[in-house]
Amino acid sequence: MKMFQTICRQLRSSKGFSLEPTARVDFSTSSYFCGRKKKVNPYEEVDQGKYSDLVQSVLSSKGLAQTPESLFEEDNLLYGPVSKCKPPKQDKAAKVPGNWCPLYNPERSMKPNATSSTIPLRIPLQRNTIPSVTKVLQQTMTSEQIFYLERWKQRMIQELGEDGFAEYSSNIFLQGKRFHKALESILSPQGELKERDENLESGYIESVQHILKDVSGVRALESAVQHETLKYVGLLDCVAEYQGKLCVIDWKTSEKPKPHIRNTFDNPLQVVAYVGAINNDANYSFQVQCGLIVVAYKDGSPAHPHFMGTELCSQYWAKWLLRLEEYTKKEKNQDIQKTD
């Protein structure tokens, strides 16, 4: 024991040696450490000279504003290049109707001859097994058209409810019917003047005033047509001269502006189907070359006229023939399924 005490005294007296207790190092999940020794900052042990360039680069770019280009570069570095979807393949050649029928009747004159009678034709529509233009277009809607129509319907039902949507649809139908009745009265030569003045109060009628100034020589009003070769029927709104050209005129109402003909969806096909039918119907002695879609607005804002010349009518005629062929095929397939 004396020997051990002697060795300890000698060690204390030697330079650079201390028997003071050192901080005990433990592995612990607790933030509590024994001893009062000042904590050592681990970053002080880092060789700052070695990483000075990196620190300077980070600090210098801290205040720089990021641009779309720099963001795209970072995304490309972190996540890889953007995978772009390939555009849908388009048909190399447009479809051609298999059963072609000309739009214009070569046996009739292309000149708009004046009729002997000033009374417009009003041929009633006969209900029969021949499909109507409206039915053909409804039965041959594309999947995209059906999707957007159904989505709009569901949104309206969510907003108005089932009963509210039914009432809304009924009101839209009645407004369109009254609008057509008012136009028929205005364009009819035997219409009473008092009734015409009352119709002018309608917002829809006010909307089409600038169109009516260019309409003259009315040949038919709310009159039925039938294509004797292609076997379809329809009820057109009006046949008259618009800015000197004989047209099938289709009056439409809308709650939203439709400044372009593409906004009218299948209406051009409906008009051109009437043009082709009237040119191949024995009840009509004249030939129509053009079409006109007029979109009127309830608030009285100026209606949008969409004129369809001979070239545009020919383009839509080919599309109509394709829709008619599609309808015929569907009907045949349904008949075959019924017989099986």
Side-chain angles (χ1 to χ4, degrees):
M1 183 67 181
K2 290 182 180 180
M3 179 68 68
F4 177 74
Q5 292 176 352
T6 303
I7 294 173
C8 288
R9 280 195 295 267
Q10 290 178 355
L11 289 174
R12 284 195 190 99
S13 61
S14 62
K15 296 181 179 180
F17 185 84
S18 176
L19 287 180
E20 294 293 331
T22 58
R24 186 175 59 188
V25 179
D26 293 328
F27 292 96
S28 174
T29 57
S30 173
S31 60
Y32 176 80
F33 292 95
C34 297
R36 297 182 179 179
K37 188 175 181 179
K38 185 180 178 181
K39 293 183 181 179
V40 178
N41 189 347
Y43 292 103
E44 292 179 357
E45 300 178 359
V46 176
D47 187 354
Q48 296 185 6
K50 182 179 180 181
Y51 298 102
S52 59
D53 294 338
L54 176 61
V55 174
Q56 185 177 359
S57 174
V58 172
L59 293 176
S60 62
S61 62
K62 185 176 180 181
L64 296 178
Q66 287 184 308
T67 63
E69 290 77 10
S70 64
L71 290 173
F72 281 127
E73 289 179 1
E74 290 182 8
D75 290 344
N76 188 31
L77 179 63
L78 294 172
Y79 308 111
V82 178
S83 178
K84 297 182 179 180
C85 297
K86 294 182 179 180
K89 294 183 179 179
Q90 298 181 352
D91 297 336
K92 295 181 180 179
K95 292 183 179 179
V96 179
N99 187 19
W100 178 262
C101 184
L103 173 62
Y104 305 108
N105 192 338
E107 297 179 1
R108 295 186 187 180
S109 173
M110 301 293 284
K111 296 180 181 180
N113 298 325
T115 57
S116 57
S117 176
T118 57
I119 301 177
L121 292 172
R122 285 186 175 87
I123 301 174
L125 181 64
Q126 302 294 331
R127 299 295 178 182
N128 49 39
T129 57
I130 300 177
S132 67
V133 173
T134 303
K135 183 178 181 180
V136 171
L137 292 175
Q138 288 178 346
Q139 295 295 325
T140 58
M141 292 174 62
T142 63
S143 57
E144 184 179 8
Q145 287 176 316
I146 296 173
F147 170 78
Y148 285 115
L149 181 61
E150 185 63 25
R151 188 176 70 171
W152 170 81
K153 181 180 177 180
Q154 293 301 323
R155 286 181 177 177
M156 294 297 291
I157 291 175
Q158 287 180 359
E159 183 178 348
L160 304 175
E162 291 281 356
D163 296 337
F165 178 72
E167 183 180 356
Y168 167 82
S169 301
S170 178
N171 290 336
I172 292 295
F173 175 77
L174 289 175
Q175 287 178 7
K177 190 174 181 179
R178 290 171 183 169
F179 174 54
H180 281 78
K181 197 70 177 177
L183 285 171
E184 186 179 355
S185 175
I186 292 172
L187 296 172
S188 177
Q190 64 267 35
E192 296 181 3
L193 182 61
K194 181 180 178 181
E195 188 177 358
R196 291 183 184 181
D197 293 339
E198 291 176 354
N199 289 331
L200 290 176
E201 298 177 1
S202 168
Y204 290 119
I205 298 300
E206 182 184 351
S207 178
V208 299
Q209 282 301 302
H210 65 294
I211 307 293
L212 293 175
K213 293 178 181 178
D214 293 327
V215 175
S216 61
V218 180
R219 307 289 185 90
L221 287 171
E222 297 293 327
S223 189
V225 291
Q226 177 176 337
H227 199 294
E228 298 174 355
T229 304
L230 298 175
K231 304 299 181 184
Y232 66 84
V233 297
L235 186 67
L236 54 82
D237 293 342
C238 177
V239 177
E241 291 183 17
Y242 173 71
Q243 296 180 348
K245 295 183 179 180
L246 193 61
C247 302
V248 168
I249 303 177
D250 197 30
W251 308 101
K252 298 294 183 183
T253 60
S254 176
E255 296 181 346
K256 296 181 179 180
K258 295 184 177 181
H260 306 289
I261 194 170
R262 63 176 179 270
N263 303 134
T264 61
F265 305 106
D266 281 342
N267 292 152
L269 298 180
Q270 183 180 17
V271 169
V272 80
Y274 294 156
V275 172
I278 204 172
N279 292 338
N280 291 272
D281 191 331
N283 293 314
Y284 302 89
S285 59
F286 50 86
Q287 178 146 241
V288 180
Q289 302 181 57
C290 305
L292 178 69
I293 301 171
V294 181
V295 185
Y297 305 107
K298 188 177 182 179
D299 61 357
S301 57
H304 284 114
H306 302 294
F307 178 75
M308 300 169 60
T310 55
E311 184 178 352
L312 190 58
C313 282
S314 297
Q315 294 175 10
Y316 280 110
W317 176 249
K319 295 180 180 180
W320 161 249
L321 291 179
L322 289 172
R323 297 282 287 269
L324 187 60
E325 285 183 2
E326 184 181 351
Y327 173 82
T328 305
K329 290 179 181 178
K330 284 186 175 181
E331 289 296 308
K332 287 182 179 179
N333 292 334
Q334 289 180 1
D335 292 340
I336 293 173
Q337 291 176 0
K338 289 179 181 179
T339 57
D340 291 345

